[in-house]
Amino acid sequence: MIIRILGEGQYDVTDAHLDELNKPDSALQSAADADNEAAFHTALNALLDTVRRLGTPLPDEAITPSDLVLPEQDASLTDVQALLSDEGLIPG
């Protein structure tokens, strides 16, 4: 799956890593539900770092549709709360 981090780029992450991505995504959802700003930023950083670690960066000139779009690292809690579904940012 292709995951875009806004303001940064795209990463190709295999579906086999979905469970590993869901751990920080669940923490992000919990922090957002609790309006806990500090925990939110920790969880968002962990989620983005996991995508970077597990994914292969796509070249900037590659034009590929993204399967998932994640907020930039400095996104606000309020902005991300508007993006969250019942499953967080990563479905599954």
Side-chain angles (χ1 to χ4, degrees), residues 29-83:
Q29 179 77 46
S30 295
D33 289 346
D35 283 327
N36 184 329
E37 191 85 31
F40 161 76
H41 285 291
T42 299
L44 178 59
N45 288 331
L47 177 59
L48 298 180
D49 287 345
T50 301
V51 170
R52 292 178 192 116
R53 180 174 49 84
L54 298 176
T56 302
L58 297 180
D60 290 337
E61 61 275 0
I63 300 174
T64 306
S66 300
D67 298 302
L68 294 171
V69 178
L70 300 179
E72 63 273 6
Q73 191 156 352
D74 62 350
S76 73
L77 173 59
T78 304
D79 290 341
V80 174
Q81 284 172 325
L83 299 173

